[in-house]
Amino acid sequence: MKNGRIAGTGSYVPETIWKNEDLEKMVETSDAWIRERTGIGARHIAGEETVAQMAVKAARRALENAGICSTELDLILVGTSSSESIFPNTACLVQDEIGAFRAACLDVSAACTGFLAVYELGQLYIRSGKAKNVLLIGADALSRLADWHDRGTCILFGDGAGAIVLTAEEQETKACERSIRWRKGVSLTCEKGTYLQMDGRAVFQFALSRVPEVIREVLAEADMAVEEIDAFILHQANSRIIDGVAKRLKAPKEKFPRNIEAYGNTCAASIPILLDEWNRSGRAQKGQRIVLSGFGAGLIWGAAYLEW
Ligand code: UT7
């Protein structure tokens, strides 16, 4: 069966860095509190830079890494919930900038699960035979949706973009990602023109119960055991959530790479940024068994099993 294999990865974060110490000047908080409760030390802030501009930079790096020309792309999917442009969609803006004129272009709004959602769609296009080369991007600038007077939310978020290129390949694989779940929830919302609202404890509990559950489901579908997985690449929302998931799965924390200390929660970008770091640091090996899992506003959560 034809399946999409990761052919290349790329990522981009804006230059401006706000450390926890910078936030101490904005709200009543401390570096110690933020580190202890979240694992975050700093976040990158987009400023004038748009979500599409960040997405383009990540996309160019992924294409270069994959050795694929933009005109070979059949499909561009962008997971984003913070694009400045309502239309054209971000994927069309990326298409125009990189010259991928054969590619169909769609955005998916699924908040922090945005990358998992575009990953599933990209694989479905490839398996159906409708696409051979697919560019998947997660890009967000939640710093624009955060209220920088609200210490309960603003300390969490940062901006960035990550991208992967999937290429159709004949594979003997059990790869699957049929576990995206959607249920309307009120613990994390954002109305147009307002700041995001969050019940942090409720989101925390939701993640701790749903993420291990959906990972178990996708592993059962792939006929894999937790012990057989080389790395669990989770949405970077809170280091304590990642620890909690590891504990519930009875898996060693070392199998859960993280970069939340440097970037905070970059929403749909967090998983592809981590995949890019995994790839470029030489940790990615062909045949490696990887689980991805995203969760957040919607409420939406999901997991995917893939072989590198
Ligand atoms: O992609 C999904 C996005 N969202 C999430 O992942 C959110 C998940 N939830 C969380 O990460 C955590 O719930 C938070 C980091 C948001 C909050 O941590 P917590 O351990 O759940 O703290 P809390 O809300 O229960 O607040 C504990 C105390 C409170 O003070 P009192 O009432 O005990 O006196 C808060 O007012 O900490 C206070 N607090 C802070 N103190 C210093 C809340 N935010 C801060 C802060 N600095 N930034």
Side-chain angles (χ1 to χ4, degrees), residues 99-163:
F101 299 116
R102 284 183 47 245
C105 304
L106 292 171
D107 282 8
V108 174
S109 167
C112 299
T113 317
F115 188 76
L116 253 291
V118 296
Y119 182 82
E120 176 175 42
L121 289 173
Q123 288 288 16
L124 290 173
Y125 263 80
I126 287 174
R127 288 180 198 138
S128 75
K130 277 199 85 173
K132 185 168 175 283
N133 295 312
V134 175
L135 174 63
L136 303 177
I137 303 172
D140 267 308
L142 257 57
S143 67
R144 301 222 180 86
L145 305 180
D147 177 355
W148 291 95
H149 300 287
D150 174 14
R151 68 177 184 171
T153 53
C154 73
I155 52 128
L156 292 173
F157 300 103
D159 306 333

Side-chain angles (χ1 to χ4, degrees), residues 29 33 37-38 112 151 198 200-201 203 235 237-238 240 265:
T29 191
W33 192 95
R37 301 288 177 124
T38 70
C112 299
R151 68 177 184 171
M198 182 179 75
R201 283 186 199 185
V203 177
H235 168 50
N238 185 318
R240 286 191 297 135
N265 176 346

